[in-house]
Amino acid sequence: MSSATTRSAEFEQLALPLLASLYNHAHWLTRNPAEAEDLVQETFTKALRAFDSFQSDTNFKAWIFRILRNTFLTTRAGIAAARTVFLEDHPDTLDTTASGPTPEEILLRLDNDATLHTALEQLQPQLREALLLCDVEEIKYKDIAVILDVPIGTVMSRISRARRTLRQLLQPQLGESL
Amino acid sequence: MNQTPQANQSTDHLGHDKLSAFIDGELAPAEKQRIEQHLSTCHECTLRVLSATQLKTATARAGQRFAPPPDALARLTAQLHSQQAPAKPLQTMKTQANLPTKTPARIFSIRPAAWAALAAAILLTVSFLGWRQLHPTNTLAAELLDQHLATLSSSATPQVISTDRHTVKPWFQGRLPFSFNLPEPAALPPDTTLKGANLTYLNGQPAALLLFTIHKHEVSVFLTQRSTSPTLTTLPNTRSGFTLHAATTPDLRIVAVSDVNPAELDNLIASLVQAQKPI
Ligand SMILES: [Zn+2]
């Protein structure tokens, strides 16, 4: 076996278990199955090409998600997304005047996935992206910061803001809790 | 992370960002400890943490939404295996130069369908085992049985001693990140009685442990949140002479452990499942 073959076998071994995650995330980014597949395909092509520069002591998942994201940003949809103005990341424009939550706010009825899907779709893309990397992909803040190319404090505030926004979006649809 | 001076006082409520970082396990040990200290005295923040955890769990589930269709999965898996030229033309993007061929052509003797099947099997395994840290099933069975045996010892007293579902259910409120219903006494199978309940942990997840008797047999029923609990499909039906039976509802995973006869255990489980259905 040539070393290139070994290397690509190693790449396959690392990438195959992430295929479903990458596709899911690509679909959230592109909002379209055909574009999601193309994005993952392009990501695999670029990632293998760059795989020689991958350090085996770094986080492969974060590395390949970063490639996925950078690839997305070069697509038409990605360029459009990057152009949208985003009120970031410092001034707190959400309503935080209420001192504490009321009991009704506390226990959200989250047994209905469709409700949450709708709310996730309504989130600003930058917030949704950070939240999905954290909650679905279980990637640590420091690695999300690498993927998104932002400071770790921005990751923290985006995730926090995403959750508050989700909560507000879910609020009108709340049933009685417990 | 960046902390304001007043955040050092344990009397202050959790800010949004801190709460978020706390449930993500992203705080330094000292800060985490300070928050835990605050939570031990602040009911309001404890509820907010539980609620945030619940939202996180639901997001994790709802966010895993788009599975690759079988043909896309086959193409992507084949691409990974060969890293030849793309198996189909790009639909929406232009590629630059194709990769140099790195593997021999033998791969094309394997039909995409075979790769799809292989990939599906791998993905199934990954989704069951990979993303959440799960203990092996037999470990879980042992843990369930241990906890059941612990309840049998004469010195064990339930944290809630009550046959009244109106006492037991509210006791868990605020202690568990999920809710459940208990059947009316009349809806329980014959000679089946609720004795009490404990808050417990299974594989590190909070669980409600309900203690029943059927005739003279003790029964432990564990309720966990379905989205965070391990898959129990391969849980052994019996262990050391005890029956372990499981059921799921959209929200809950229910496991019952007892030495009563299995059919009667199933009746109890069925009544619990029934109680979760919306009226
Ligand atoms: Zn507080």
PDB file of all heavy atoms in Angstrom, chain A residues 12 21 24 28 34 37-38 41 106 110 121 135 138 141 160 163 167 178, chain B residues 17 20 24 26 51 56 63 65-66 75 81 86 91-92 131-132 179:
ATOM      1  N   GLU A  12     -10.757   8.314   5.442  1.00  0.00           N
ATOM      2  CA  GLU A  12     -12.082   7.689   5.354  1.00  0.00           C
ATOM      3  C   GLU A  12     -12.556   7.219   6.724  1.00  0.00           C
ATOM      4  O   GLU A  12     -13.710   7.415   7.108  1.00  0.00           O
ATOM      5  CB  GLU A  12     -12.025   6.506   4.384  1.00  0.00           C
ATOM      6  CG  GLU A  12     -13.362   5.815   4.230  1.00  0.00           C
ATOM      7  CD  GLU A  12     -13.268   4.513   3.440  1.00  0.00           C
ATOM      8  OE1 GLU A  12     -12.165   4.195   2.943  1.00  0.00           O
ATOM      9  OE2 GLU A  12     -14.284   3.831   3.338  1.00  0.00           O
ATOM     10  N   SER A  21     -23.559  13.621  10.488  1.00  0.00           N
ATOM     11  CA  SER A  21     -23.499  14.934  11.142  1.00  0.00           C
ATOM     12  C   SER A  21     -23.223  16.039  10.131  1.00  0.00           C
ATOM     13  O   SER A  21     -23.841  17.104  10.172  1.00  0.00           O
ATOM     14  CB  SER A  21     -22.376  14.954  12.180  1.00  0.00           C
ATOM     15  OG  SER A  21     -22.672  14.091  13.229  1.00  0.00           O
ATOM     16  N   ASN A  24     -26.265  16.626   7.981  1.00  0.00           N
ATOM     17  CA  ASN A  24     -27.307  17.332   8.727  1.00  0.00           C
ATOM     18  C   ASN A  24     -26.966  18.819   8.857  1.00  0.00           C
ATOM     19  O   ASN A  24     -27.801  19.693   8.612  1.00  0.00           O
ATOM     20  CB  ASN A  24     -27.453  16.690  10.110  1.00  0.00           C
ATOM     21  CG  ASN A  24     -28.532  17.362  10.957  1.00  0.00           C
ATOM     22  OD1 ASN A  24     -29.698  17.395  10.595  1.00  0.00           O
ATOM     23  ND2 ASN A  24     -28.122  17.913  12.099  1.00  0.00           N
ATOM     24  N   TRP A  28     -28.765  22.230   7.298  1.00  0.00           N
ATOM     25  CA  TRP A  28     -29.189  23.418   8.048  1.00  0.00           C
ATOM     26  C   TRP A  28     -28.590  24.690   7.432  1.00  0.00           C
ATOM     27  O   TRP A  28     -29.217  25.745   7.440  1.00  0.00           O
ATOM     28  CB  TRP A  28     -28.768  23.318   9.515  1.00  0.00           C
ATOM     29  CG  TRP A  28     -29.711  22.530  10.375  1.00  0.00           C
ATOM     30  CD1 TRP A  28     -29.480  21.308  10.940  1.00  0.00           C
ATOM     31  CD2 TRP A  28     -31.042  22.904  10.789  1.00  0.00           C
ATOM     32  NE1 TRP A  28     -30.583  20.900  11.671  1.00  0.00           N
ATOM     33  CE2 TRP A  28     -31.548  21.866  11.594  1.00  0.00           C
ATOM     34  CE3 TRP A  28     -31.850  24.019  10.546  1.00  0.00           C
ATOM     35  CZ2 TRP A  28     -32.823  21.904  12.164  1.00  0.00           C
ATOM     36  CZ3 TRP A  28     -33.114  24.058  11.116  1.00  0.00           C
ATOM     37  CH2 TRP A  28     -33.591  23.005  11.914  1.00  0.00           C
ATOM     38  N   ALA A  34     -30.123  18.911  -2.152  1.00  0.00           N
ATOM     39  CA  ALA A  34     -29.125  18.778  -3.218  1.00  0.00           C
ATOM     40  C   ALA A  34     -27.875  19.608  -2.891  1.00  0.00           C
ATOM     41  O   ALA A  34     -26.742  19.147  -3.052  1.00  0.00           O
ATOM     42  CB  ALA A  34     -29.719  19.208  -4.557  1.00  0.00           C
ATOM     43  N   GLU A  37     -25.854  17.916  -0.144  1.00  0.00           N
ATOM     44  CA  GLU A  37     -25.005  16.825  -0.636  1.00  0.00           C
ATOM     45  C   GLU A  37     -23.776  17.372  -1.348  1.00  0.00           C
ATOM     46  O   GLU A  37     -22.653  16.908  -1.126  1.00  0.00           O
ATOM     47  CB  GLU A  37     -25.798  15.912  -1.583  1.00  0.00           C
ATOM     48  CG  GLU A  37     -24.953  14.728  -2.063  1.00  0.00           C
ATOM     49  CD  GLU A  37     -25.655  13.859  -3.103  1.00  0.00           C
ATOM     50  OE1 GLU A  37     -26.885  14.005  -3.289  1.00  0.00           O
ATOM     51  OE2 GLU A  37     -24.956  13.028  -3.717  1.00  0.00           O
ATOM     52  N   ASP A  38     -23.984  18.363  -2.200  1.00  0.00           N
ATOM     53  CA  ASP A  38     -22.843  18.971  -2.891  1.00  0.00           C
ATOM     54  C   ASP A  38     -21.837  19.546  -1.907  1.00  0.00           C
ATOM     55  O   ASP A  38     -20.621  19.428  -2.095  1.00  0.00           O
ATOM     56  CB  ASP A  38     -23.317  20.103  -3.816  1.00  0.00           C
ATOM     57  CG  ASP A  38     -23.970  19.554  -5.084  1.00  0.00           C
ATOM     58  OD1 ASP A  38     -23.914  18.327  -5.285  1.00  0.00           O
ATOM     59  OD2 ASP A  38     -24.521  20.358  -5.850  1.00  0.00           O
ATOM     60  N   GLN A  41     -19.910  16.763  -0.324  1.00  0.00           N
ATOM     61  CA  GLN A  41     -18.998  16.195  -1.321  1.00  0.00           C
ATOM     62  C   GLN A  41     -17.776  17.087  -1.505  1.00  0.00           C
ATOM     63  O   GLN A  41     -16.631  16.622  -1.489  1.00  0.00           O
ATOM     64  CB  GLN A  41     -19.762  16.048  -2.640  1.00  0.00           C
ATOM     65  CG  GLN A  41     -18.963  15.352  -3.735  1.00  0.00           C
ATOM     66  CD  GLN A  41     -19.732  15.354  -5.045  1.00  0.00           C
ATOM     67  OE1 GLN A  41     -20.940  15.150  -5.084  1.00  0.00           O
ATOM     68  NE2 GLN A  41     -19.019  15.582  -6.129  1.00  0.00           N
ATOM     69  N   ILE A 106     -40.924  28.465  32.829  1.00  0.00           N
ATOM     70  CA  ILE A 106     -39.872  27.567  33.252  1.00  0.00           C
ATOM     71  C   ILE A 106     -39.893  26.241  32.512  1.00  0.00           C
ATOM     72  O   ILE A 106     -38.913  25.832  31.922  1.00  0.00           O
ATOM     73  CB  ILE A 106     -39.987  27.305  34.768  1.00  0.00           C
ATOM     74  CG1 ILE A 106     -39.681  28.578  35.521  1.00  0.00           C
ATOM     75  CG2 ILE A 106     -39.067  26.193  35.198  1.00  0.00           C
ATOM     76  CD1 ILE A 106     -38.244  28.966  35.519  1.00  0.00           C
ATOM     77  N   LEU A 110     -41.803  20.670  25.424  1.00  0.00           N
ATOM     78  CA  LEU A 110     -40.946  20.465  24.266  1.00  0.00           C
ATOM     79  C   LEU A 110     -41.147  19.087  23.669  1.00  0.00           C
ATOM     80  O   LEU A 110     -40.301  18.569  22.972  1.00  0.00           O
ATOM     81  CB  LEU A 110     -39.485  20.660  24.674  1.00  0.00           C
ATOM     82  CG  LEU A 110     -39.150  22.100  25.060  1.00  0.00           C
ATOM     83  CD1 LEU A 110     -37.811  22.175  25.766  1.00  0.00           C
ATOM     84  CD2 LEU A 110     -39.155  22.984  23.841  1.00  0.00           C
ATOM     85  N   GLU A 121     -35.862  27.166  12.722  1.00  0.00           N
ATOM     86  CA  GLU A 121     -35.809  27.763  11.387  1.00  0.00           C
ATOM     87  C   GLU A 121     -35.902  29.282  11.441  1.00  0.00           C
ATOM     88  O   GLU A 121     -35.383  29.976  10.575  1.00  0.00           O
ATOM     89  CB  GLU A 121     -36.945  27.200  10.513  1.00  0.00           C
ATOM     90  CG  GLU A 121     -36.532  25.911   9.842  1.00  0.00           C
ATOM     91  CD  GLU A 121     -37.718  25.105   9.336  1.00  0.00           C
ATOM     92  OE1 GLU A 121     -38.842  25.637   9.308  1.00  0.00           O
ATOM     93  OE2 GLU A 121     -37.496  23.934   8.992  1.00  0.00           O
ATOM     94  N   ASP A 135     -25.142  22.068  20.695  1.00  0.00           N
ATOM     95  CA  ASP A 135     -26.121  21.120  21.247  1.00  0.00           C
ATOM     96  C   ASP A 135     -26.216  19.829  20.451  1.00  0.00           C
ATOM     97  O   ASP A 135     -26.355  18.753  21.031  1.00  0.00           O
ATOM     98  CB  ASP A 135     -27.506  21.770  21.306  1.00  0.00           C
ATOM     99  CG  ASP A 135     -27.602  22.784  22.436  1.00  0.00           C
ATOM    100  OD1 ASP A 135     -26.632  22.902  23.215  1.00  0.00           O
ATOM    101  OD2 ASP A 135     -28.637  23.457  22.548  1.00  0.00           O
ATOM    102  N   GLU A 138     -22.214  18.663  19.878  1.00  0.00           N
ATOM    103  CA  GLU A 138     -21.510  18.573  21.150  1.00  0.00           C
ATOM    104  C   GLU A 138     -20.039  18.960  21.029  1.00  0.00           C
ATOM    105  O   GLU A 138     -19.141  18.308  21.550  1.00  0.00           O
ATOM    106  CB  GLU A 138     -21.658  17.168  21.748  1.00  0.00           C
ATOM    107  CG  GLU A 138     -23.110  16.838  22.042  1.00  0.00           C
ATOM    108  CD  GLU A 138     -23.307  15.475  22.704  1.00  0.00           C
ATOM    109  OE1 GLU A 138     -22.522  14.563  22.390  1.00  0.00           O
ATOM    110  OE2 GLU A 138     -24.227  15.355  23.511  1.00  0.00           O
ATOM    111  N   TYR A 141     -16.846  25.001  23.160  1.00  0.00           N
ATOM    112  CA  TYR A 141     -16.797  26.397  22.722  1.00  0.00           C
ATOM    113  C   TYR A 141     -15.487  26.734  22.003  1.00  0.00           C
ATOM    114  O   TYR A 141     -15.478  27.451  21.016  1.00  0.00           O
ATOM    115  CB  TYR A 141     -16.955  27.358  23.921  1.00  0.00           C
ATOM    116  CG  TYR A 141     -18.331  27.450  24.524  1.00  0.00           C
ATOM    117  CD1 TYR A 141     -19.379  26.627  24.104  1.00  0.00           C
ATOM    118  CD2 TYR A 141     -18.603  28.378  25.531  1.00  0.00           C
ATOM    119  CE1 TYR A 141     -20.643  26.725  24.682  1.00  0.00           C
ATOM    120  CE2 TYR A 141     -19.867  28.485  26.108  1.00  0.00           C
ATOM    121  CZ  TYR A 141     -20.880  27.656  25.684  1.00  0.00           C
ATOM    122  OH  TYR A 141     -22.113  27.765  26.248  1.00  0.00           O
ATOM    123  N   SER A 160     -25.942  31.689  23.973  1.00  0.00           N
ATOM    124  CA  SER A 160     -26.865  32.184  24.984  1.00  0.00           C
ATOM    125  C   SER A 160     -28.021  32.950  24.337  1.00  0.00           C
ATOM    126  O   SER A 160     -29.193  32.778  24.674  1.00  0.00           O
ATOM    127  CB  SER A 160     -26.082  33.064  25.958  1.00  0.00           C
ATOM    128  OG  SER A 160     -26.927  33.857  26.720  1.00  0.00           O
ATOM    129  N   ARG A 163     -30.500  30.674  22.617  1.00  0.00           N
ATOM    130  CA  ARG A 163     -31.431  30.007  23.528  1.00  0.00           C
ATOM    131  C   ARG A 163     -32.528  30.954  24.003  1.00  0.00           C
ATOM    132  O   ARG A 163     -33.685  30.562  24.122  1.00  0.00           O
ATOM    133  CB  ARG A 163     -30.661  29.447  24.723  1.00  0.00           C
ATOM    134  CG  ARG A 163     -29.830  28.243  24.316  1.00  0.00           C
ATOM    135  CD  ARG A 163     -28.990  27.693  25.452  1.00  0.00           C
ATOM    136  NE  ARG A 163     -28.302  26.493  25.005  1.00  0.00           N
ATOM    137  CZ  ARG A 163     -27.117  26.093  25.451  1.00  0.00           C
ATOM    138  NH1 ARG A 163     -26.489  26.807  26.372  1.00  0.00           N
ATOM    139  NH2 ARG A 163     -26.576  24.998  24.981  1.00  0.00           N
ATOM    140  N   ARG A 167     -36.475  30.480  23.205  1.00  0.00           N
ATOM    141  CA  ARG A 167     -37.448  30.492  24.291  1.00  0.00           C
ATOM    142  C   ARG A 167     -38.582  31.486  23.991  1.00  0.00           C
ATOM    143  O   ARG A 167     -39.741  31.183  24.191  1.00  0.00           O
ATOM    144  CB  ARG A 167     -36.731  30.845  25.590  1.00  0.00           C
ATOM    145  CG  ARG A 167     -37.488  30.635  26.845  1.00  0.00           C
ATOM    146  CD  ARG A 167     -36.553  30.750  28.030  1.00  0.00           C
ATOM    147  NE  ARG A 167     -35.667  29.602  28.136  1.00  0.00           N
ATOM    148  CZ  ARG A 167     -36.039  28.445  28.673  1.00  0.00           C
ATOM    149  NH1 ARG A 167     -37.238  28.304  29.167  1.00  0.00           N
ATOM    150  NH2 ARG A 167     -35.200  27.432  28.734  1.00  0.00           N
ATOM    151  N   LEU A 178     -46.439  20.573  32.877  1.00  0.00           N
ATOM    152  CA  LEU A 178     -46.651  19.429  33.757  1.00  0.00           C
ATOM    153  C   LEU A 178     -48.117  19.069  33.886  1.00  0.00           C
ATOM    154  O   LEU A 178     -48.877  19.735  34.552  1.00  0.00           O
ATOM    155  CB  LEU A 178     -46.062  19.686  35.155  1.00  0.00           C
ATOM    156  CG  LEU A 178     -45.737  18.399  35.907  1.00  0.00           C
ATOM    157  CD1 LEU A 178     -44.469  17.764  35.380  1.00  0.00           C
ATOM    158  CD2 LEU A 178     -45.568  18.644  37.394  1.00  0.00           C
TER     159      LEU A 178
ATOM    160  N   ASP B  17     -25.613  34.410  29.954  1.00  0.00           N
ATOM    161  CA  ASP B  17     -24.442  33.780  29.352  1.00  0.00           C
ATOM    162  C   ASP B  17     -23.827  32.747  30.289  1.00  0.00           C
ATOM    163  O   ASP B  17     -23.410  31.668  29.857  1.00  0.00           O
ATOM    164  CB  ASP B  17     -23.386  34.841  28.992  1.00  0.00           C
ATOM    165  CG  ASP B  17     -23.811  35.692  27.788  1.00  0.00           C
ATOM    166  OD1 ASP B  17     -24.948  35.496  27.308  1.00  0.00           O
ATOM    167  OD2 ASP B  17     -23.014  36.533  27.352  1.00  0.00           O
ATOM    168  N   SER B  20     -25.941  29.632  30.437  1.00  0.00           N
ATOM    169  CA  SER B  20     -25.746  28.882  29.206  1.00  0.00           C
ATOM    170  C   SER B  20     -24.417  28.110  29.233  1.00  0.00           C
ATOM    171  O   SER B  20     -24.364  26.917  28.936  1.00  0.00           O
ATOM    172  CB  SER B  20     -25.764  29.903  28.058  1.00  0.00           C
ATOM    173  OG  SER B  20     -26.092  29.309  26.857  1.00  0.00           O
ATOM    174  N   ASP B  24     -23.541  23.959  29.494  1.00  0.00           N
ATOM    175  CA  ASP B  24     -22.668  23.374  28.478  1.00  0.00           C
ATOM    176  C   ASP B  24     -21.370  22.829  29.060  1.00  0.00           C
ATOM    177  O   ASP B  24     -20.526  22.313  28.325  1.00  0.00           O
ATOM    178  CB  ASP B  24     -22.338  24.414  27.395  1.00  0.00           C
ATOM    179  CG  ASP B  24     -23.553  24.773  26.553  1.00  0.00           C
ATOM    180  OD1 ASP B  24     -24.465  23.927  26.442  1.00  0.00           O
ATOM    181  OD2 ASP B  24     -23.589  25.892  26.012  1.00  0.00           O
ATOM    182  N   GLU B  26     -18.915  24.560  30.352  1.00  0.00           N
ATOM    183  CA  GLU B  26     -17.828  25.367  29.801  1.00  0.00           C
ATOM    184  C   GLU B  26     -17.202  26.311  30.828  1.00  0.00           C
ATOM    185  O   GLU B  26     -16.438  27.190  30.459  1.00  0.00           O
ATOM    186  CB  GLU B  26     -18.360  26.189  28.613  1.00  0.00           C
ATOM    187  CG  GLU B  26     -18.744  25.348  27.402  1.00  0.00           C
ATOM    188  CD  GLU B  26     -17.531  24.941  26.563  1.00  0.00           C
ATOM    189  OE1 GLU B  26     -16.416  25.431  26.836  1.00  0.00           O
ATOM    190  OE2 GLU B  26     -17.716  24.135  25.640  1.00  0.00           O
ATOM    191  N   SER B  51     -34.714  24.142  33.247  1.00  0.00           N
ATOM    192  CA  SER B  51     -35.414  24.515  32.026  1.00  0.00           C
ATOM    193  C   SER B  51     -34.450  24.647  30.846  1.00  0.00           C
ATOM    194  O   SER B  51     -34.738  24.206  29.734  1.00  0.00           O
ATOM    195  CB  SER B  51     -36.158  25.823  32.270  1.00  0.00           C
ATOM    196  OG  SER B  51     -36.791  26.242  31.093  1.00  0.00           O
ATOM    197  N   LYS B  56     -31.948  22.452  25.916  1.00  0.00           N
ATOM    198  CA  LYS B  56     -30.743  21.932  25.249  1.00  0.00           C
ATOM    199  C   LYS B  56     -30.978  20.517  24.731  1.00  0.00           C
ATOM    200  O   LYS B  56     -30.634  20.194  23.600  1.00  0.00           O
ATOM    201  CB  LYS B  56     -29.565  21.968  26.226  1.00  0.00           C
ATOM    202  CG  LYS B  56     -28.234  21.461  25.646  1.00  0.00           C
ATOM    203  CD  LYS B  56     -27.123  21.566  26.704  1.00  0.00           C
ATOM    204  CE  LYS B  56     -25.872  20.792  26.301  1.00  0.00           C
ATOM    205  NZ  LYS B  56     -25.119  21.455  25.209  1.00  0.00           N
ATOM    206  N   GLY B  63     -32.512  19.156  16.362  1.00  0.00           N
ATOM    207  CA  GLY B  63     -31.493  19.578  15.400  1.00  0.00           C
ATOM    208  C   GLY B  63     -30.952  18.445  14.552  1.00  0.00           C
ATOM    209  O   GLY B  63     -30.395  18.672  13.481  1.00  0.00           O
ATOM    210  N   ARG B  65     -32.008  16.558  12.299  1.00  0.00           N
ATOM    211  CA  ARG B  65     -33.235  16.502  11.547  1.00  0.00           C
ATOM    212  C   ARG B  65     -33.082  15.911  10.161  1.00  0.00           C
ATOM    213  O   ARG B  65     -33.973  15.264   9.646  1.00  0.00           O
ATOM    214  CB  ARG B  65     -33.775  17.922  11.443  1.00  0.00           C
ATOM    215  CG  ARG B  65     -35.093  17.976  10.762  1.00  0.00           C
ATOM    216  CD  ARG B  65     -35.605  19.384  10.784  1.00  0.00           C
ATOM    217  NE  ARG B  65     -36.881  19.427  10.097  1.00  0.00           N
ATOM    218  CZ  ARG B  65     -37.508  20.552   9.809  1.00  0.00           C
ATOM    219  NH1 ARG B  65     -36.964  21.697  10.155  1.00  0.00           N
ATOM    220  NH2 ARG B  65     -38.652  20.527   9.183  1.00  0.00           N
ATOM    221  N   PHE B  66     -31.953  16.173   9.533  1.00  0.00           N
ATOM    222  CA  PHE B  66     -31.823  15.833   8.118  1.00  0.00           C
ATOM    223  C   PHE B  66     -30.870  14.665   7.929  1.00  0.00           C
ATOM    224  O   PHE B  66     -29.667  14.803   8.090  1.00  0.00           O
ATOM    225  CB  PHE B  66     -31.314  17.041   7.332  1.00  0.00           C
ATOM    226  CG  PHE B  66     -32.165  18.264   7.538  1.00  0.00           C
ATOM    227  CD1 PHE B  66     -31.705  19.328   8.304  1.00  0.00           C
ATOM    228  CD2 PHE B  66     -33.439  18.333   6.991  1.00  0.00           C
ATOM    229  CE1 PHE B  66     -32.486  20.450   8.493  1.00  0.00           C
ATOM    230  CE2 PHE B  66     -34.235  19.458   7.183  1.00  0.00           C
ATOM    231  CZ  PHE B  66     -33.748  20.522   7.940  1.00  0.00           C
ATOM    232  N   ARG B  75     -23.663   7.733  -2.600  1.00  0.00           N
ATOM    233  CA  ARG B  75     -22.669   8.499  -3.364  1.00  0.00           C
ATOM    234  C   ARG B  75     -21.565   9.046  -2.460  1.00  0.00           C
ATOM    235  O   ARG B  75     -20.385   8.964  -2.782  1.00  0.00           O
ATOM    236  CB  ARG B  75     -23.360   9.657  -4.101  1.00  0.00           C
ATOM    237  CG  ARG B  75     -24.104   9.218  -5.346  1.00  0.00           C
ATOM    238  CD  ARG B  75     -24.559  10.432  -6.172  1.00  0.00           C
ATOM    239  NE  ARG B  75     -25.572  11.222  -5.491  1.00  0.00           N
ATOM    240  CZ  ARG B  75     -26.889  11.048  -5.661  1.00  0.00           C
ATOM    241  NH1 ARG B  75     -27.348  10.137  -6.489  1.00  0.00           N
ATOM    242  NH2 ARG B  75     -27.750  11.817  -5.014  1.00  0.00           N
ATOM    243  N   HIS B  81     -14.776   6.494   0.081  1.00  0.00           N
ATOM    244  CA  HIS B  81     -13.969   5.292  -0.033  1.00  0.00           C
ATOM    245  C   HIS B  81     -12.977   5.379  -1.171  1.00  0.00           C
ATOM    246  O   HIS B  81     -11.870   4.885  -1.084  1.00  0.00           O
ATOM    247  CB  HIS B  81     -14.857   4.067  -0.202  1.00  0.00           C
ATOM    248  CG  HIS B  81     -14.106   2.790   0.021  1.00  0.00           C
ATOM    249  ND1 HIS B  81     -13.674   2.424   1.284  1.00  0.00           N
ATOM    250  CD2 HIS B  81     -13.674   1.845  -0.821  1.00  0.00           C
ATOM    251  CE1 HIS B  81     -13.015   1.284   1.176  1.00  0.00           C
ATOM    252  NE2 HIS B  81     -12.995   0.902  -0.065  1.00  0.00           N
ATOM    253  N   PRO B  86     -15.902  12.846  -8.459  1.00  0.00           N
ATOM    254  CA  PRO B  86     -17.238  12.715  -7.877  1.00  0.00           C
ATOM    255  C   PRO B  86     -18.083  11.690  -8.619  1.00  0.00           C
ATOM    256  O   PRO B  86     -18.027  11.573  -9.832  1.00  0.00           O
ATOM    257  CB  PRO B  86     -17.828  14.117  -8.050  1.00  0.00           C
ATOM    258  CG  PRO B  86     -16.660  15.016  -8.111  1.00  0.00           C
ATOM    259  CD  PRO B  86     -15.535  14.233  -8.718  1.00  0.00           C
ATOM    260  N   GLN B  91     -24.505  19.316  -8.398  1.00  0.00           N
ATOM    261  CA  GLN B  91     -25.792  19.848  -8.829  1.00  0.00           C
ATOM    262  C   GLN B  91     -25.793  21.367  -8.822  1.00  0.00           C
ATOM    263  O   GLN B  91     -26.467  21.996  -9.619  1.00  0.00           O
ATOM    264  CB  GLN B  91     -26.896  19.319  -7.908  1.00  0.00           C
ATOM    265  CG  GLN B  91     -27.077  17.824  -8.087  1.00  0.00           C
ATOM    266  CD  GLN B  91     -27.888  17.219  -6.943  1.00  0.00           C
ATOM    267  OE1 GLN B  91     -28.272  17.912  -6.023  1.00  0.00           O
ATOM    268  NE2 GLN B  91     -28.132  15.935  -7.018  1.00  0.00           N
ATOM    269  N   THR B  92     -25.083  21.933  -7.905  1.00  0.00           N
ATOM    270  CA  THR B  92     -25.241  23.385  -7.746  1.00  0.00           C
ATOM    271  C   THR B  92     -23.916  24.131  -7.675  1.00  0.00           C
ATOM    272  O   THR B  92     -23.918  25.349  -7.710  1.00  0.00           O
ATOM    273  CB  THR B  92     -26.005  23.698  -6.465  1.00  0.00           C
ATOM    274  OG1 THR B  92     -25.295  23.133  -5.385  1.00  0.00           O
ATOM    275  CG2 THR B  92     -27.402  23.140  -6.503  1.00  0.00           C
ATOM    276  N   TRP B 131     -22.757   9.542  19.550  1.00  0.00           N
ATOM    277  CA  TRP B 131     -22.863  10.944  19.908  1.00  0.00           C
ATOM    278  C   TRP B 131     -23.022  11.142  21.401  1.00  0.00           C
ATOM    279  O   TRP B 131     -22.619  12.120  21.968  1.00  0.00           O
ATOM    280  CB  TRP B 131     -24.019  11.585  19.148  1.00  0.00           C
ATOM    281  CG  TRP B 131     -23.730  11.671  17.701  1.00  0.00           C
ATOM    282  CD1 TRP B 131     -22.527  11.420  17.108  1.00  0.00           C
ATOM    283  CD2 TRP B 131     -24.620  11.997  16.649  1.00  0.00           C
ATOM    284  NE1 TRP B 131     -22.631  11.591  15.760  1.00  0.00           N
ATOM    285  CE2 TRP B 131     -23.899  11.946  15.450  1.00  0.00           C
ATOM    286  CE3 TRP B 131     -25.972  12.360  16.611  1.00  0.00           C
ATOM    287  CZ2 TRP B 131     -24.477  12.238  14.222  1.00  0.00           C
ATOM    288  CZ3 TRP B 131     -26.538  12.643  15.386  1.00  0.00           C
ATOM    289  CH2 TRP B 131     -25.790  12.583  14.204  1.00  0.00           C
ATOM    290  N   ARG B 132     -23.692  10.222  22.035  1.00  0.00           N
ATOM    291  CA  ARG B 132     -23.826  10.335  23.486  1.00  0.00           C
ATOM    292  C   ARG B 132     -22.935   9.253  24.090  1.00  0.00           C
ATOM    293  O   ARG B 132     -22.811   8.179  23.556  1.00  0.00           O
ATOM    294  CB  ARG B 132     -25.272  10.094  23.906  1.00  0.00           C
ATOM    295  CG  ARG B 132     -26.276  10.750  22.995  1.00  0.00           C
ATOM    296  CD  ARG B 132     -26.514  12.185  23.404  1.00  0.00           C
ATOM    297  NE  ARG B 132     -27.275  12.864  22.387  1.00  0.00           N
ATOM    298  CZ  ARG B 132     -26.778  13.806  21.603  1.00  0.00           C
ATOM    299  NH1 ARG B 132     -25.539  14.191  21.738  1.00  0.00           N
ATOM    300  NH2 ARG B 132     -27.515  14.379  20.684  1.00  0.00           N
ATOM    301  N   SER B 179     -41.171  15.784  33.099  1.00  0.00           N
ATOM    302  CA  SER B 179     -42.343  15.492  33.907  1.00  0.00           C
ATOM    303  C   SER B 179     -42.983  14.191  33.436  1.00  0.00           C
ATOM    304  O   SER B 179     -42.697  13.710  32.342  1.00  0.00           O
ATOM    305  CB  SER B 179     -43.344  16.635  33.823  1.00  0.00           C
ATOM    306  OG  SER B 179     -43.835  16.717  32.501  1.00  0.00           O
TER     307      SER B 179
END
